[in-house]
Amino acid sequence: MDNLADTGHGGHQGHDGHHDDDDGAAHGTLKSYATGFVLAAILTAIPFWLVMDRVIASSRVTGLVILAFAVVQIVVHIIYFLHMDTKSESGWNMLALIFTLVLVVITLSGSIWIMYHLNANMMPMSTHDMRKMP
């Protein structure tokens, strides 16, 4: 009963400052949520600034930099808001996340590959090519 009086709910505070409920799921502290929010805001503001001020001349390089910031922001959200790590639920959450990411990468890369080849192979013929037809 001492744990109930200390935390105000059925859980107890773990050694890492997270509150653990009866199901063993970790919940963040105000400090961890604030840290996550600040990091997410910074990781949103920097790509916005890169695009609006045209800091990088090449649009391809700018796109790649924005994608890198997006990946970092996904990691921030997973750690600070979803509280996923290799220890949560004996690693099953991380395994499910990795499996999902593999499926997303396969789907996206396959879709981009198909669209590229459809564009290259299905474009209308030029007038020069039309003259050569029988």
Side-chain angles (χ1 to χ4, degrees):
M1 269 312 197
D2 291 332
N3 282 344
L4 289 173
D6 292 341
T7 61
H9 56 78
H12 65 280
Q13 188 166 354
H15 67 280
D16 59 354
H18 286 60
H19 290 282
D20 294 333
D21 282 339
D22 293 334
D23 61 356
H27 298 283
T29 62
L30 181 60
K31 181 181 177 184
S32 71
Y33 282 118
T35 303
F37 176 75
V38 168
L39 287 173
I42 290 170
L43 291 170
T44 301
I46 292 173
F48 183 78
W49 167 71
L50 289 174
V51 171
M52 294 305 291
D53 287 346
R54 294 190 172 115
V55 175
I56 303 172
S58 172
S59 61
R60 287 183 186 218
V61 174
T62 303
L64 290 174
V65 169
I66 290 173
L67 284 175
F69 274 102
V71 168
V72 173
Q73 190 163 112
I74 288 170
V75 172
V76 166
H77 283 256
I78 287 171
I79 292 171
Y80 287 100
F81 299 123
L82 296 178
H83 310 294
M84 289 181 65
D85 58 9
T86 55
K87 298 173 195 153
S88 63
E89 294 190 25
S90 301
W92 285 108
N93 278 343
M94 190 60 63
L95 188 63
L97 176 68
I98 291 169
F99 179 71
T100 302
L101 290 175
V102 167
L103 288 179
V104 167
V105 166
I106 290 171
T107 303
L108 287 177
S109 59
S111 297
I112 291 170
W113 182 74
I114 288 170
M115 287 187 283
Y116 172 78
H117 284 283
L118 281 175
N119 184 41
N121 294 325
M122 301 298 288
M123 288 298 294
M125 287 192 254
S126 67
T127 55
H128 183 272
D129 293 335
M130 296 276 292
R131 287 186 200 140
K132 292 183 179 181
M133 287 185 68

